[in-house]
Every structure is written in structure tokens, then in C-alpha cells.
Amino acid sequence: MEPGYFTESDSAEVVIARNAAAKSERLQQVMAVLTRHIHAAVKEIEPTTEEWMTALQFLTATGQMCSDWRQEYILFSDIMGVSLLVDAINNRKPSGASESTVLGPFHLADAPELPMGANICLDAKGEAMLVRGRILDTSGNPIPQAKIDVWQANDEGFYDVQQKGIQPDFNLRGVFRTGADGRYWFKGVKPKFYPIPDDGPVGKLLGALGRHPFRPAHLHYILEAQGFDTLVTHIFDPDDPYIHSDAVFGVKESLLAEFRHVTDTVVRDGKTFLQYQND
């Protein structure tokens, strides 16, 4: 039976029926769900023609802002919480497992592998930090030879790729591997909060919504070990001023770790520095 003509009441069903010959069953399913929700939202909002054109102009401007170095649609997904929701759905963990969060745009796949305890800060700027912990399975057993890929922003809130010619290449990045006891430690600098790019349409939307563009200070991790799922996660500073209002919703309570200032100095490899720790 042919679907009826398009009417306000039957709008979603008519469009869904028109898509019945989709070459992919999954595409047909996805488009049916999206069509139902979009049409329901439009019926609830009842936008004026001018308001709908404003929405289309926003989407147009968002696409025009995209390039090899800037993905404004990903940013839009981030500030709407959709990126974190997709991450949560695809990374459901058993009890006791560390939670995941978004990768972020500044990871480099070819960061150098370094000896345990190395300093990933190459320009000696910022307040020195010692990070240490253990990589364990959900039963509490240490995981030897786990690959730990870490990177962070500097004390001004910039990654090395954002400051070519100012920061050394691979500054505040490194790859480490745990020993038999699953322990790791390395040196860096205390990170700082920073804004997501806010000079485009997504930034203007944040401003219109009364929201700021900042992410709280954090360390990035990718953990890999044979026989285990890869984990992409962060460690956050709970005392950061933006810890409860991360622009991209990446903070989870289990990922908070005290960045403890130790007035006593720590000596490693003949060098003296202040200590922060996350274990």
C-alpha cells in the first residue's frame, strides 16, 4: 500500500515510507529514528521560517569552518554531549574498570617511547610534576608491559601542535611500558585549563547559551595491553575552576585525582623538583 500524501500529522511516517528501498537496512533504521525525532522536535518547537533558516545557516557555517585541521562538526557534537554519549555506549565497562572519555584532537600516533621516569617536558617551562600509578586488571593484578601513551597541555593551556616553533616537537608527550609490577612514573608539568576553539559558529552558540568554552586541566592516556581492551581516558584535577562545567562533558567522577602539592622536594636522577601524584 502506497503511503499517503504528506501532512503535518503524518509527516514522519510518509518520509520513512519513502526510504523503504534503502540499500542498507541499518541506514534505513537510523534514518527512521532520526526522522521521527527531528519531526517530533519541529512539531514541538514550531519554528518560524526565519528561525529555521537561522538553524540552516548555522549548519552551513559549521561545515564551511571544517578543514584538515579543524572539524567544527566534531566540536558541535562535543558541546552537545553527543561525543561523550557515543563513547559511553561503545565503552561499557565491567565493575571496577577505569572509565573512558574522549580522545581529543591533539593526539599524535608517533610520540617517542621513553624510559620509565623520563621527563616529557622538553622546554623546562612550568611547575614540575611527578605522575605515578599502577596499571591493574579488574581483579587487582598488575599488568606488565602495558603501553601507556600520555600527553598533556603545558602550563599555559597549549599543546605542542598548537605552538609550532614555540614548543619543541613532542613536548609533553611520551610512551612508557610498565614493568612486572604494573607501576609507572614519569615527569611533566602541572597542566592548566584551556578553551576549545571558540572563534567559529560553535563558539558563538556557546556564548548565546551562556556557556564558557573551557576544559579543566587534565592528562591524556591511551592504555594498551595484550588481551585487554584499549582504554582512552583522562586524569582530571578536581580543584580546577572548570571541573564541574567541562565544555565537552568529559569529566567523570572516577577520573578525578588529587594533584597534591608536596612542600618537600623530590630528587630523581640527580634533579630536584616538586611532587604531584595521582596514586
Side-chain angles (χ1 to χ4, degrees):
M1 178 178 176
E2 289 293 326
Y5 292 106
F6 189 100
T7 66
E8 182 178 337
S9 60
D10 295 344
S11 62
E13 288 71 22
V14 172
V15 174
I16 291 168
R18 191 72 58 85
N19 296 334
K23 295 180 180 179
S24 164
E25 183 178 345
R26 177 62 170 169
L27 175 61
Q28 182 183 8
Q29 176 194 20
V30 169
M31 290 303 298
V33 172
L34 287 175
T35 300
R36 289 192 190 99
H37 284 277
I38 292 171
H39 282 238
V42 171
K43 291 174 183 178
E44 181 178 349
I45 297 167
E46 294 191 340
T48 64
T49 301
E50 291 76 15
E51 288 173 333
W52 185 239
M53 286 306 300
T54 298
L56 294 178
Q57 287 165 0
F58 168 78
L59 294 175
T60 300
T62 300
Q64 290 171 339
M65 196 77 181
C66 296
S67 68
D68 290 342
W69 299 102
R70 174 77 173 264
Q71 231 303 346
E72 195 78 356
Y73 272 115
I74 292 178
L75 208 59
F76 184 40
S77 172
D78 291 346
I79 66 116
M80 293 297 290
V82 177
S83 297
L84 255 293
L85 181 58
V86 172
D87 178 80
I89 290 169
N90 284 275
N91 290 282
R92 292 171 177 141
K93 305 291 185 184
S95 177
S98 297
E99 291 189 277
S100 65
T101 191
V102 290
L103 176 66
F106 299 121
H107 177 251
L108 295 179
D110 54 349
E113 187 160 336
L114 302 172
M116 192 62 70
N119 193 342
I120 62 174
C121 180
L122 305 180
D123 59 8
K125 295 180 180 179
E127 189 173 20
M129 176 179 69
L130 172 66
V131 182
R132 61 187 184 186
R134 297 184 74 194
I135 308 302
L136 308 172
D137 63 22
T138 53
S139 299
N141 301 309
I143 302 177
Q145 287 301 301
K147 179 183 176 183
I148 307 171
D149 187 347
V150 297
W151 68 104
Q152 63 163 99
N154 66 8
D155 65 327
E156 296 179 342
F158 293 101
Y159 293 86
D160 58 343
V161 294
Q162 295 176 291
Q163 292 188 315
K164 288 286 188 179
I166 299 174
Q167 292 190 47
D169 290 345
F170 297 110
N171 191 39
L172 296 169
R173 299 177 185 274
V175 174
F176 301 92
R177 293 188 184 271
T178 58
D181 59 359
R183 293 189 182 276
Y184 72 91
W185 65 279
F186 64 89
K187 290 171 280 188
V189 298
K190 191 172 188 292
K192 186 181 180 181
F193 58 81
Y194 60 83
I196 61 173
D198 63 346
D199 57 338
V202 171
K204 292 179 181 178
L205 176 61
L206 281 177
L209 292 171
R211 289 172 55 186
H212 65 73
F214 289 98
R215 299 215 64 206
H218 56 273
L219 303 174
H220 292 265
Y221 282 72
I222 297 178
L223 304 177
E224 298 177 272
Q226 188 173 3
F228 295 89
D229 292 337
T230 297
L231 173 66
V232 177
T233 194
H234 295 2
I235 290 177
F236 291 95
D237 179 0
D239 297 321
D240 189 276
Y242 299 105
I243 197 65
H244 298 298
S245 58
D246 182 3
V248 304
F249 302 95
V251 178
K252 298 179 181 180
E253 187 174 4
S254 67
L255 304 182
L256 303 181
E258 182 184 4
F259 283 58
R260 187 167 68 237
H261 185 264
V262 179
T263 54
D264 293 336
T265 55
V266 176
V267 178
R268 300 276 186 185
D269 302 331
K271 298 180 180 178
T272 303
F273 51 93
L274 297 176
Q275 174 176 278
Y276 292 83
Q277 60 185 34
N278 74 329
D279 63 342

